[in-house]
Each structure stands twice: as structure tokens, then as C-alpha cells.
Amino acid sequence: MIHKAGVVRTHNKLRMQDEMERRKVEVQVKMKEQEVLNYELSSLKPRAKVYRQQQNSNIMFLSGVQQEMHRAKQNLDSLQKEYRDLETSTSHTERREEEEEKS
């Protein structure tokens, strides 16, 4: 006889794992975008005009190459940290599940 609570718990674990995997893929895509942005910015002349789009808007503001490279680097660092945290969280969850199955 299968206990309903066990089925619900298993379903919730699978859904959480799927969400974590989906988030990891999203973070990987954003990391790649930031790497491309860094490369593109580094290929510009130091005095080139760079425009930054205001978040959630179509308004553009004049910025500098160095400022945008700094922002891109900060974003990349933040995404890398988030990805490492997701990796760590996933491995801890997998180990916990293996231990639960053994007992």
C-alpha cells in the first residue's frame, strides 16, 4: 500500500529538482550573455560611446566602456556565485535523498 504522504513528498521533491535545474539553465544562459557582453565591450575603443538601457524601460542613457565592463563583471560574478550555490544545493539534496533511501 502506497502512503499518500509519501507520494506527495516524492512529487514535491521532483518538482523542486525540476525548478532548480531550470534555474541553473537560466543562470548559465545569463552567464553566457554577460561573457559575450564583456567580450564585445573589451573590443571597443576606450572613448567609445556606450548606451545603457534603463531597466524595464526603452530609455537609453549614455555610459562609458569601463563603467559597463565593471557592471558586466559584477553581474557575471553574481551569476557565478548563484550557480555555485545551486550546484551545492543540488548535490546536498541528492546526498540527503540517497541517505533517506538507504534507511
Side-chain angles (χ1 to χ4, degrees), residues 40-53:
E40 292 290 330
L41 288 169
S42 68
S43 70
L44 295 174
K45 293 179 182 178
R47 309 283 266 154
K49 290 185 179 182
V50 178
Y51 292 87
R52 177 172 179 72
Q53 184 173 4

Side-chain angles (χ1 to χ4, degrees), residues 5-71:
V7 172
V8 170
R9 200 171 323 131
T10 301
H11 177 72
N12 288 342
K13 283 181 189 177
L14 292 174
R15 189 173 56 202
M16 189 172 79
Q17 286 174 346
D18 287 345
E19 289 173 13
M20 288 178 72
E21 287 300 319
R22 202 172 309 120
R23 182 63 189 151
K24 280 171 50 177
V25 170
E26 288 173 7
V27 170
Q28 285 176 321
V29 168
K30 287 181 181 183
M31 284 170 45
K32 188 65 176 174
E33 289 173 359
Q34 290 301 313
E35 290 169 358
V36 170
L37 178 60
N38 268 338
Y39 176 78
E40 292 290 330
L41 288 169
S42 68
S43 70
L44 295 174
K45 293 179 182 178
R47 309 283 266 154
K49 290 185 179 182
V50 178
Y51 292 87
R52 177 172 179 72
Q53 184 173 4
Q54 184 67 25
Q55 219 171 13
N56 300 324
S57 171
N58 291 331
I59 300 172
M60 306 290 275
F61 291 98
L62 183 61
S63 185
V65 173
Q66 292 302 319
Q67 278 181 303
E68 294 308 313
M69 285 183 72
H70 181 71
R71 277 194 183 112

Side-chain angles (χ1 to χ4, degrees), residues 88-103:
T88 303
S89 177
T90 302
S91 64
H92 286 305
T93 303
E94 289 172 354
R95 273 192 239 128
R96 205 174 316 123
E97 288 173 0
E98 288 174 4
E99 290 172 3
E100 287 175 3
E101 288 175 5
K102 288 180 183 176
S103 50

